[in-house]
Amino acid sequence: MIWVIGGTKDSRDFLEKFASADKNIIVSTATEYGGKLLEGLPVKVISEKLPLETMRVFIEKNSIDIIVDMSHPYAFEVSKNAMRAAEEFSIPYYRFEREEIHIIPDRFSEFENIDDLVKYCDGLEGNILVTLGSNNIEHFAEVKELKKFYFRILPKWDMVKKCEDNGILPKNIIAMQGPFSLNMNKAMIEQLNIKYLVTKKGGDTGGEKEKTDACNEKGIEVILLDKPKIQYPNCYNNIDELIKNIKL
């Protein structure tokens, strides 16, 4: 059985090319939303978070003999645990990483630690648009002026509730589905009088270019959350190359 760690657009793109009726594939996603991205494909999908011990049980229960990690670039713990489990069970592990695009904004600051980033933002004057998704919401809960932060998240009730549980008012929640065009980003910046935009260095799929271009045109600073460098075995930036090298 092939286990694909999915839930991203990348995993959908991969499975559209790789999945077939004669392959036994099970896909895990951390959320139900991630599972919905895979509807209509000839694969079995489970939507639940899998910590390391649960991964071990999952591998044994499903007789996993190949792991293909298509998880989000910032899902560090998922990838680390999958690599460890693959090593323990002597299972081949393959990783897809979005190709890095080196876009340097006209004005930017860069951080590898979310708490350092939040501390920096807390000392700024002016409205801030945060486009980190819902996983980092709680880090902003204790800032001095939460009202100056606007959070762009997916339009899902649990993500909106997470914002509200951390003291974010409805007027500061932008629940919309991307990807966002250059003009859409510019419109939000203008409408909300944004002076800073917080984003991940997520590669082309994450819409980094459109955000950066909008900020450059409006003369606002981009605050980047970088990701730690992880050494992945069998890592590919091209889906076709990944498929060609998976040894069934």
Side-chain angles (χ1 to χ4, degrees):
M1 179 76 79
I2 301 167
W3 172 23
V4 176
I5 305 174
T8 60
K9 181 182 181 298
D10 297 322
S11 64
R12 171 83 196 194
D13 294 343
F14 167 77
L15 288 165
E16 284 179 346
K17 295 183 176 184
F18 183 72
S20 60
D22 63 339
K23 291 191 181 84
N24 291 320
I25 300 174
I26 185 168
V27 186
S28 66
T29 68
T31 64
E32 290 185 7
Y33 172 76
K36 289 183 182 298
L37 291 176
L38 306 175
E39 288 179 348
L41 294 172
V43 297
K44 180 180 179 181
V45 179
I46 65 158
S47 296
E48 63 177 285
K49 293 184 178 179
L50 300 176
L52 179 58
E53 186 54 44
T54 310
M55 283 186 179
R56 294 181 176 123
V57 175
F58 178 88
I59 288 170
E60 291 187 324
K61 179 181 177 181
N62 294 285
S63 301
I64 301 298
D65 48 26
I66 292 175
I67 298 175
V68 182
D69 183 2
M70 306 288 299
S71 62
H72 192 278
Y74 282 75
F76 315 121
E77 289 304 314
V78 173
S79 293
K80 287 179 181 178
N81 288 340
M83 285 189 285
R84 180 172 174 181
E87 185 176 359
E88 289 179 5
F89 286 87
S90 299
I91 296 170
Y93 169 96
Y94 299 88
R95 170 65 177 168
F96 175 79
E97 274 281 282
R98 296 173 182 172
E99 187 171 1
E100 291 189 7
I101 52 174
H102 299 285
I103 301 173
I104 302 177
D106 293 343
R107 298 172 55 201
F108 73 98
S109 300
E110 188 171 326
F111 300 87
E112 286 193 1
N113 181 283
I114 181 64
D115 292 322
D116 290 340
L117 183 150
V118 172
K119 183 178 180 180
Y120 173 76
C121 290
D122 203 14
L124 298 173
E125 293 186 5
N127 292 342
I128 302 171
L129 177 58
V130 181
T131 64
L132 297 177
S134 62
N135 288 336
N136 291 295
I137 294 294
E138 62 274 11
H139 291 280
F140 292 86
E142 300 303 321
V143 296
K144 290 177 291 190
E145 287 189 85
L146 190 55
K147 64 182 181 181
K148 74 181 180 184
F149 290 87
Y150 292 82
F151 297 85
R152 193 163 77 187
I153 59 171
L154 287 171
K156 295 183 77 268
W157 71 268
D158 54 328
M159 296 183 182
V160 173
K161 184 176 186 301
K162 187 173 184 179
C163 287
E164 293 178 337
D165 289 346
N166 282 279
I168 300 166
L169 296 175
K171 71 181 184 68
N172 290 76
I173 302 171
I174 306 165
M176 295 178 67
Q177 170 73 59
F180 298 96
S181 67
L182 169 64
N183 287 334
M184 178 64 82
N185 282 308
K186 286 167 59 179
M188 287 188 188
I189 290 169
E190 292 171 357
Q191 179 69 27
L192 301 172
N193 193 26
I194 297 300
K195 301 302 181 185
Y196 305 89
L197 184 143
V198 182
T199 184
K200 297 174 182 175
K201 295 179 70 173
D204 193 39
T205 308
E208 185 179 342
K209 183 179 187 303
E210 289 77 11
K211 295 178 192 176
T212 301
D213 288 348
C215 291
N216 287 344
E217 287 194 27
K218 292 299 175 182
I220 70 174
E221 180 179 329
V222 179
I223 302 170
L224 296 166
L225 178 63
D226 201 355
K227 57 181 180 176
K229 303 299 183 285
I230 299 175
Q231 293 297 318
Y232 298 101
N234 301 318
C235 186
Y236 299 89
N237 302 122
N238 180 281
I239 287 176
D240 292 328
E241 284 295 312
L242 169 62
I243 291 171
K244 186 170 71 174
N245 285 280
I246 293 176
K247 294 179 172 59
L248 302 177

